């Protein structure tokens, strides 16, 4: 008995302070079965490294026979965030962020991977919104898409051509478009060749939002905006800040005015648009516009609509009868 107490009192202090991160790797494409032999990397993001976006690797190991793994954090720091990463069939996966408190001893976590698919034929665009505002010398066009991957596999590298060997999707810009800029995404996930935008990211199962902006210059007081559906699209809507500039439309229904934050937008849309179909609006300038700055009121509108659509989609998916 005395020896047991002596062993307790002589345990080194660092061992008493260290925290164990215990987790399991599972494959979501195979009914969440455990994955053994998967490389697991524990990474740490400190306040000083958050600015650079480069986390520090603190452990590198393989998952066990039942998919379980265990990492040690020798000196807990509540200002640091930890996460587990793993690569599987060409895609990287991440666990949720982990905060290690000084009072913690064991922290559970889990990382879910998926098998990969190299075909984009099953991707569906739930909503595609195009917001158009006059920016003076050009129309400012913002395209926002809510994409759905209904499979239980990650879609990647579905496009291979003379420009890109591992892109997932392609989007066509109008021939006169200029100033392409991605939004809310890793800029390296997009590549522009001519007027074709290549999305090089991966699409895990579920919904994903992609958006980018560009300018469409006025040419002799006219501008033709043609949007081609990249995938089967449930709903596609144009929100035009100045309805008086719309000269004609093609394959679109006039849904009338839409008011948000004391501003009125003309809404033109289509439903169940097949992949490859082109929808067009011709704009004509009636008079010289105000060249001042125009706030992007439609951005808040579209973000809200996309969020509602995502919630409805998830509810339908959960309530789906087998």
């Amino acid at each position: 008995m005395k020896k047991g107490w002596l062993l307790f009192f002589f345990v080194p202090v660092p061992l008493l302070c260290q925290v164990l991160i215990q987790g399991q790797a599972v494959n979501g494409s195979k009914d969440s079965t455990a994955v053994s032999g998967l490389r697991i990397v524990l990474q740490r993001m400190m306040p000083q490294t958050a600015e650079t976006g480069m986390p520090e690797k603190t452990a590198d190991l393989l998952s066990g026979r039942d998919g379980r793994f265990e990492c040690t954090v020798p000196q807990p720091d509540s200002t640091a965030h930890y996460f587990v990463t793993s690569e599987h069939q060409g895609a990287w996966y991440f666990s949720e962020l982990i905060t290690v408190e000084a009072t913690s001893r064991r922290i559970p976590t889990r990382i879910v991977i998926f098998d990969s698919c190299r075909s984009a034929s099953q991707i569906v665009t739930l909503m595609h919104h195009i917001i158009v505002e006059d920016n003076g010398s050009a129309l400012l066009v913002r395209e926002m898409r809510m994409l759905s991957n209904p499979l239980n596999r990650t879609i990647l590298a579905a496009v291979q051509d003379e420009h890109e060997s591992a892109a997932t999707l392609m989007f066509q810009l109008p021939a006169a478009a200029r100033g392409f800029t991605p939004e809310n995404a890793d800029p390296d996930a997009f590549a522009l060749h001519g007027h074709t935008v290549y999305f090089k990211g991966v699409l895990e199962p579920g919904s994903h939002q992609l958006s980018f902006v560009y300018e469409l210059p006025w040419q002799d007081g006219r501008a033709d905006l043609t949007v081609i559906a990249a995938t089967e699209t449930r709903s596609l809507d144009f929100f035009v800040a100045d309805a008086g500039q719309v000269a004609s439309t093609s394959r679109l229904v006039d849904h009338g005015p839409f008011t948000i934050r004391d501003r009125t937008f003309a809404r033109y849309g289509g439903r169940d648009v097949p992949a490859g179909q082109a929808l067009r609006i011709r704009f004509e300038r009636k008079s010289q516009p105000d060249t001042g700055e125009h706030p992007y009121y439609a951005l808040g509108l579209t973000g809200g609509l996309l969020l509602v659509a995502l919630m409805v989609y998830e509810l339908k998916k959960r309530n789906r009868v087998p």
Side-chain angles (χ1 to χ4, degrees):
M1 186 66 178
K2 292 182 179 180
K3 291 183 178 179
W5 280 105
L6 287 173
L7 287 174
F8 175 78
F9 281 115
F10 281 99
V11 172
V13 173
L15 293 180
L16 294 177
C17 296
Q18 70 182 11
V19 177
L20 295 178
I21 295 178
Q22 298 175 319
Q24 185 180 32
V26 298
N27 190 328
S29 299
K30 299 178 180 177
D31 297 326
S32 296
T33 55
V35 182
S36 61
L38 184 70
R39 184 188 177 194
I40 302 294
V41 179
L42 178 66
Q43 303 201 59
R44 177 175 61 186
M45 184 73 78
M46 301 288 290
Q48 57 268 31
T49 59
E51 298 179 358
T52 63
M54 296 298 294
E56 174 189 3
K57 183 172 72 173
T58 62
D60 194 331
L61 65 155
L62 297 178
S63 59
R65 186 178 304 174
D66 57 354
R68 299 194 178 276
F69 55 89
E70 187 175 280
C71 307
T72 301
V73 178
Q75 295 180 338
D77 183 352
S78 59
T79 65
H81 293 285
Y82 293 82
F83 58 95
V84 171
T85 65
S86 185
E87 188 273 337
H88 178 66
Q89 295 185 0
W92 281 93
Y93 298 91
F94 303 81
S95 71
E96 294 184 353
L97 285 177
I98 304 166
T99 300
V100 179
E101 303 288 349
T103 56
S104 304
R105 287 297 171 264
R106 290 181 174 83
I107 300 177
T109 190
R110 188 168 99 146
I111 185 168
V112 181
I113 66 171
F114 296 93
D115 292 339
S116 296
C117 171
R118 296 178 181 269
S119 171
S121 61
Q122 298 299 313
I123 295 177
V124 175
T125 301
L126 302 178
M127 298 186 73
H128 183 182
H129 288 170
I130 303 100
I131 303 96
V132 185
E133 296 184 276
D134 192 348
N135 200 31
S137 63
L139 292 173
L140 182 66
V141 182
R142 173 177 284 103
E143 294 197 33
M144 306 178 72
R145 290 173 172 85
M146 180 66 74
L147 304 176
S148 171
N149 172 8
L151 306 178
N152 64 348
R153 292 175 291 170
T154 294
I155 299 176
L156 51 77
V159 177
Q160 297 92 28
D161 61 14
E162 66 274 18
H163 299 297
E164 297 290 337
S165 60
T168 300
L169 282 174
M170 293 190 302
F171 307 110
Q172 297 297 324
L173 300 183
R178 69 188 186 191
F180 169 80
T181 305
E183 285 191 331
N184 303 324
D186 178 4
D188 294 333
F190 290 90
L192 180 64
H193 297 280
H195 292 93
T196 301
V197 176
Y198 292 78
F199 173 65
K200 302 190 293 182
V202 303
L203 296 177
E204 295 181 21
S207 299
H208 306 266
Q209 180 178 327
L210 296 181
S211 61
F212 49 78
V213 299
Y214 54 87
E215 288 186 334
L216 191 64
W218 291 103
Q219 297 178 348
D220 296 326
R222 294 184 178 182
D224 287 331
L225 175 57
T226 300
V227 173
I228 301 175
T231 73
E232 179 184 349
T233 302
R234 296 284 183 260
S235 69
L236 188 152
D237 290 289
F238 292 81
F239 293 89
V240 181
D242 188 348
Q245 293 181 339
V246 177
S248 63
T249 65
S250 173
R251 301 180 185 274
L252 294 169
V253 176
D254 185 351
H255 293 291
F258 195 102
T259 303
I260 180 70
R261 296 183 182 180
D262 298 325
R263 287 194 67 193
T264 300
F265 296 87
R267 180 185 172 202
Y268 303 86
R271 299 293 178 269
D272 297 322
V273 181
Q277 186 172 97
L279 299 97
R280 181 183 62 84
I281 293 185
R282 167 163 287 185
F283 296 88
E284 289 186 0
R285 173 176 282 172
K286 303 301 181 182
S287 60
Q288 288 299 321
D290 178 11
T291 57
E293 294 183 356
H294 293 268
Y296 304 145
Y297 292 98
L299 178 60
L301 162 66
T302 303
L305 291 174
L306 289 174
L307 180 59
V308 171
L310 177 58
M311 293 173 63
V312 172
Y313 172 75
E314 293 294 337
L315 287 174
K316 287 183 178 180
K317 184 170 65 174
R318 293 177 184 174
N319 298 328
R320 188 178 299 161
V321 178

